[in-house]
Amino acid sequence: MSQYLLSLCRRSGHMFWAVAKVMLPVMLGVEIAERWGLIQAAGRVIAPGMALLNLPPEAGLVWISSVFVGTYGGIATLVAVSSSIHLSLGQLNALCVMLLIAHSIPVEQAIVRAAGASFSATAALRLSVALLYGAAVAWLSRLTGLMTEPVSLTWLQGSGSVRDAATGSYWAWVQSTATTMLMLLAIIFVLALLLDTLERLRITPRITALLSPLLRLSGLDSRVTPVTTVGVLLGLTYGGALIIEAAKKHRLDARARFLALAWLSLSHGLIEDTIVVLALGANVWIVLVGRLAITMLIVALLAKFTYRDLIPRFAP
C-alpha cells in the first residue's frame, strides 16, 4: 500500500510539474499585465467580439491564452482574472467548451500535420467549432433563462483577503499563487487516483468499447477506430502517434487519416480534460455529451461531403 501511494505521489508530482511550468509564467504575465492596465486595454479591444458570443471581455483573454498555451494556460488566466470576471453558469459552460475544443493549437495541430492532415484546415475547424458551440451555449442560456445564476470563481485564488491584498503587494500575490498551486496539486493527486481506479476496475476499456460504435457511425474507417478511441480518451498526442503508426501498418489513405484526425482535433483527452472543467463547475451534458454529439455530426458531414478528389487540399 505504501509503495502504491509513493508511486501515485511520484506520478502526481510529475504531472504537477508539467502543468506548473505552463501555468506559473502565464499567471505571472497576466498579473503584471493587469497591474499595468494591459488587461483592461485588451479587454476593450476584444469586447465587441466577445459580446457577439454573449461573453465578457475577460473570457476572450482566457480563451486566447488557451488557444496558444493550452488548457492549463487558459485556466491560469482564468485564475488571474477570477476577481474581476463576471460569469453566469451558462457563460462558464460556454467558456469551458471553447477551452476544451480549441487549445494548444500550435503544438497539437503540428502533431496532426505529422499524422497526415492539414495544419490550417484542422486548426480552422477547431477554432470555428469552438466559437460556434460556445456562442450557442451562451445565447441559449440567456434566451431560455437556464443556467443564468452567477458563479463565483474567487475560490480559485484561495482566501479572498489574500487576493485583495495581492492588488497592492507582489508578496501577497506570491502567497495567493502558492495557495492556488497547492490546491492544484491536490486536484491532480485526486485526478491521478481516479484515472488509476478507472483503469484497475476495467472501466476505461468499457468506455472505449462504448465509443467505438460512435466513431464508426460517424464514418471512420474501421482500421483506425481503435487507435482514434485511445486518442479521444487520453489525448491528441497519443492518438496522433498511434495514427502515424496505423497509417504505415494498414496503408491508410488520406481520407481515413483526415477524418480520424478531425475527430481527434475536436474531441480528445475526454477523461482528464473533462474532469478538470467539471471541477470548475461545468455541466457534464454540455462539456462531454454535447461535445461528442457535435463532433459526431461534423465528422459525419465531412465523411459524406469530403470525397477522395478533395482530400489533397487537406493534406499537410
Side-chain angles (χ1 to χ4, degrees):
M1 185 64 178
S2 59
Q3 257 328 92
Y4 173 72
L5 287 175
L6 184 62
S7 173
L8 195 63
C9 287
R10 192 178 294 116
R11 181 185 172 195
S12 301
H14 288 312
M15 291 171 65
F16 172 75
W17 176 240
V19 171
K21 285 191 297 184
V22 173
M23 288 189 68
L24 285 173
V26 172
M27 292 172 70
L28 177 60
V30 171
E31 180 69 14
I32 292 172
E34 188 174 28
R35 290 172 183 269
W36 287 358
L38 298 178
I39 296 291
Q40 293 80 357
R44 287 192 291 272
V45 173
I46 295 171
M50 287 297 101
L52 293 175
L53 306 181
N54 190 36
L55 290 172
E58 296 88 349
L61 298 173
V62 174
W63 185 56
I64 289 170
S65 297
S66 174
V67 166
F68 287 101
V69 182
T71 305
Y72 289 103
I75 292 174
T77 306
L78 183 61
V79 170
V81 301
S82 60
S83 62
S84 58
I85 191 170
H86 301 288
L87 295 169
S88 68
L89 185 56
Q91 289 174 322
L92 174 65
N93 276 280
L95 181 56
C96 284
V97 296
M98 290 170 67
L99 294 182
L100 290 176
I101 294 172
H103 59 262
S104 197
I105 295 293
V107 174
E108 292 190 342
Q109 298 323 110
I111 295 169
V112 165
R113 181 181 181 184
S118 166
F119 181 107
S120 56
T122 53
L125 179 67
R126 290 181 73 177
L127 292 170
S128 58
V129 172
L131 288 168
L132 290 172
Y133 188 26
V137 171
W139 277 108
L140 281 173
S141 171
R142 178 173 175 176
L143 294 174
T144 61
L146 297 172
M147 298 189 297
T148 55
E149 59 270 28
V151 294
S152 173
L153 296 171
T154 53
W155 63 272
L156 290 171
Q157 288 287 352
S159 168
S161 59
V162 170
R163 176 62 194 165
D164 292 340
T167 59
S169 164
Y170 278 111
W171 172 240
W173 176 81
V174 169
Q175 290 178 292
S176 175
T177 301
T179 302
T180 299
M181 299 311 289
L182 286 173
M183 189 182 303
L184 174 65
L185 179 59
I187 291 172
I188 286 177
F189 179 82
V190 173
L191 174 62
L193 179 61
L194 178 59
L195 292 175
D196 191 59
T197 302
L198 290 174
E199 190 66 39
R200 287 171 179 269
L201 294 176
R202 305 294 296 165
I203 294 175
T204 302
R206 294 175 191 172
I207 298 173
T208 301
L210 288 172
L211 278 176
S212 292
L214 297 180
L215 269 64
R216 286 195 297 270
L217 186 64
S218 60
L220 261 63
D221 189 309
S222 60
R223 294 171 297 172
V224 81
T225 299
V227 295
T228 306
T229 305
V230 172
V232 167
L233 292 177
L234 300 181
L236 199 152
T237 302
Y238 302 107
L242 290 172
I243 286 174
I244 292 172
E245 183 182 22
K248 294 177 181 176
K249 182 178 179 181
H250 300 293
R251 299 183 181 276
L252 296 173
D253 59 32
R255 183 175 184 273
R257 281 180 283 140
F258 174 73
L259 293 176
L261 291 164
W263 234 109
L264 279 182
S265 293
L266 295 174
S267 288
H268 59 267
L270 291 188
I271 297 177
E272 179 180 348
D273 289 353
T274 302
I275 292 172
V276 169
V277 297
L278 289 179
L280 294 175
N283 185 298
V284 69
W285 288 97
I286 294 173
V287 299
L288 179 59
V289 179
R291 183 183 175 196
L292 283 173
I294 290 290
T295 301
M296 272 192 65
L297 175 61
I298 290 173
V299 175
L301 290 172
L302 288 172
K304 184 176 179 63
F305 296 109
T306 305
Y307 299 98
R308 294 178 190 275
D309 57 336
L310 297 177
I311 285 296
R313 73 181 61 181
F314 299 126

